[in-house]
Amino acid sequence: MKITPNVSLKNYNTFGINAIASSFVSVTTIVELKEALSTKAVDRKFILGGGSNMLLKNDVSALVIQIGLKGIDTVKENQEHIWLEVAAGENWHDFVMYCVNHNYGGVENLALIPGNTGTSPVQNIGAYGVELKDVFDSCKALDRNTLESKTFTHFECKFGYRESIFKSEAKDSFVITSVVFKLTKTNHKLHTEYGAIHEILEAKNITIPGIKDIAEAVINIRSSKLPDPRVLGNSGSFFKNPVIDIAEFKAIQRIYPEMPFYPVSESLIKVPAGWLIEKAGFKGKRFGDAGVHSRQALVLVNYGEASGDDIWSLALKIKKEVRDLFNIVIEPEVNIVE
Ligand code: EPU
């Protein structure tokens, strides 16, 4: 285990923010991870996965521990299902393609989501009608204080829309080391209901799609709407879609009848933050090196040299405009690292 002082995190966060870690270590085994967590040399420890869902506002005065645990193992299988244990440091999209290539169904709609498998449960990643919780079986996590491994069941993870126990009660207390997924081997339950997937399959004359067709359609949609972080720094959706009261929704709908919406319950409606931000005039706007993506207003981008503060100031500006215009408060989806 080699601890290096003053390391730039620019290549370790998909926003491409040039924050400096006061010390940095990459761990590839549980033993190394325990060693790094227990080192007395630096008090504060900061766990880094794929760096795809965070905004580094400042330099990080901590030992940054980059999780490089690798491996995909079969836990058990029967005729219908296979349970795979995936180490936290496996790239999420590579894992999705591994499943697609082995004809294991369940994660194909989640293709091309940036980040690592270990952080996928933290915010219950989701896209195109599927959420991580639909295929999640359990995960193993190391208690940061006792260094003991604990298994979290599905129930214990308390999944919600882009939420889990790892963002609330258990925030900063555990390091997820592996995740077990329950995937289908036959009779795949395909989710094609999302409009754009449907359109792509129809255009290709695919009437009985397989999981590969779905993955390809999702890759197609995402690449056409969402910027590739290797080309343009970003963290996917910056804000969550807000859930508002139906009375509030109706008042806004009277002024903007075209506003898209998704009922959540009898009294609550989810509205797309991307639409609100576009209406507030931010889509495609650039402020220095911080900007709002031209094809999806929910995504903030770094044109090169934006600092964490530049992106954050833009986020606050957007938040204020959306509140002034619609009286709706939008909250970040990404973790803001102070
Ligand atoms: N819209 C606009 N303008 C925009 C963006 C969106 O008018 O600039 C409208 C669209 O026309 C559509 C609606 O808003 O009517 C919803 O847009 P979209 O289908 O693109 O989905 P989203 O709600 O903006 C969510 C997830 C994405 C995920 C997509 C597809 C959140 C915060 N984001 O976005 O997740 O890929 O659905 O399922 O829930 C991510 O989390 O990083 C992410 C990209």
Side-chain angles (χ1 to χ4, degrees):
M1 193 185 73
K2 185 171 166 280
I3 296 180
T4 315
N6 299 325
V7 172
S8 165
L9 297 176
K10 193 171 171 72
N11 293 328
Y12 292 99
N13 71 102
T14 60
F15 248 128
I17 304 291
N18 187 26
I20 308 295
S22 55
S23 50
F24 179 92
V25 65
S26 184
V27 297
T28 53
T29 64
I30 302 273
V31 173
E32 280 184 349
L33 172 59
K34 286 184 179 173
E35 207 183 322
L37 284 171
S38 55
T39 179
K40 297 276 181 288
V42 187
D43 207 27
R44 186 178 164 223
K45 317 285 187 324
F46 180 87
I47 306 298
L48 182 67
S52 64
N53 198 44
M54 57 167 66
L55 177 67
L56 299 168
K57 269 180 74 186
N58 305 298
D59 288 342
V60 184
S61 175
L63 171 61
V64 172
I65 305 173
Q66 200 250 337
I67 307 296
L69 306 167
K70 300 279 184 195
I72 300 178
D73 295 308
T74 301
V75 178
K76 59 177 177 179
E77 61 185 306
N78 58 28
Q79 281 202 320
E80 292 269 313
H81 294 103
I82 184 158
W83 284 257
L84 293 180
E85 180 167 9
V86 186
E90 288 287 343
N91 173 271
W92 173 262
H93 178 69
D94 291 349
F95 165 60
V96 170
M97 293 321 287
Y98 173 94
C99 294
V100 170
N101 292 329
H102 285 77
N103 196 35
Y104 300 148
V107 285
E108 56 281 355
N109 292 52
L110 305 177
L112 225 55
I113 294 184
N116 284 354
T117 305
T119 34
S120 62
V122 176
Q123 56 148 348
N124 180 26
I125 58 171
Y128 310 111
V130 174
E131 282 183 311
L132 177 106
K133 70 175 173 58
D134 305 330
V135 287
F136 177 95
D137 176 83
S138 60
C139 67
K140 281 190 195 140
L142 213 59
D143 185 312
R144 287 177 63 162
N145 290 317
T146 65
L147 300 186
E148 272 167 29
S149 183
K150 172 176 163 54
T151 298
F152 284 84
T153 62
H154 194 292
F155 177 76
E156 285 169 330
C157 286
K158 301 188 178 171
F159 291 123
Y161 165 61
R162 296 294 196 274
E163 287 295 341
S164 77
I165 191 165
F166 302 107
K167 271 181 114 174
S168 51
E169 296 112 279
K171 188 170 163 41
D172 295 334
S173 324
F174 290 90
V175 183
I176 296 173
T177 51
S178 68
V179 184
V180 176
F181 297 93
K182 182 186 177 186
L183 303 157
T184 50
K185 287 164 63 178
T186 55
N187 298 324
H188 304 305
K189 288 190 187 63
L190 302 181
H191 294 270
T192 56
E193 62 279 7
Y194 192 85
I197 293 186
H198 210 73
E199 282 162 28
I200 289 180
L201 295 176
E202 216 162 51
K204 283 184 165 175
N205 271 326
I206 299 172
T207 44
I208 308 172
I211 56 180
K212 208 173 196 134
D213 300 311
I214 308 256
E216 276 169 15
V218 168
I219 290 170
N220 204 318
I221 305 165
R222 285 189 80 101
S223 343
S224 69
K225 281 212 297 197
L226 298 168
D228 179 347
R230 285 166 304 184
V231 180
L232 188 61
N234 75 89
S235 220
S237 305
F238 191 89
F239 295 99
K240 289 199 256 191
N241 287 330
V243 175
I244 59 174
D245 190 78
I246 196 147
E248 213 182 321
F249 166 74
K250 286 199 166 139
I252 303 170
Q253 201 188 31
R254 270 195 288 278
I255 308 168
Y256 301 99
E258 74 281 17
M259 176 167 70
F261 63 97
Y262 320 98
V264 173
S265 67
E266 274 180 16
S267 57
L268 296 172
I269 307 274
K270 192 189 274 184
V271 292
W275 186 89
L276 301 171
I277 297 167
E278 180 173 347
K279 268 282 169 216
F282 283 101
K283 195 170 187 171
K285 283 273 168 68
R286 182 172 171 170
F287 304 81
D289 265 1
V292 179
H293 190 50
S294 54
R295 278 170 282 148
Q296 165 57 287
L298 197 49
V299 178
L300 302 191
V301 295
N302 173 9
Y303 283 99
E305 299 301 322
S307 67
D309 237 11
D310 295 338
I311 303 277
W312 184 238
S313 303
L314 173 57
L316 290 180
K317 206 194 293 258
I318 292 171
K319 185 174 165 148
K320 181 180 181 306
E321 287 290 322
V322 167
R323 198 185 49 216
D324 289 353
L325 198 58
F326 299 102
N327 198 25
I328 294 178
V329 176
I330 53 174
E331 298 293 350
E333 190 214 299
V334 300
N335 286 318
I336 310 299
V337 181
E338 299 289 339

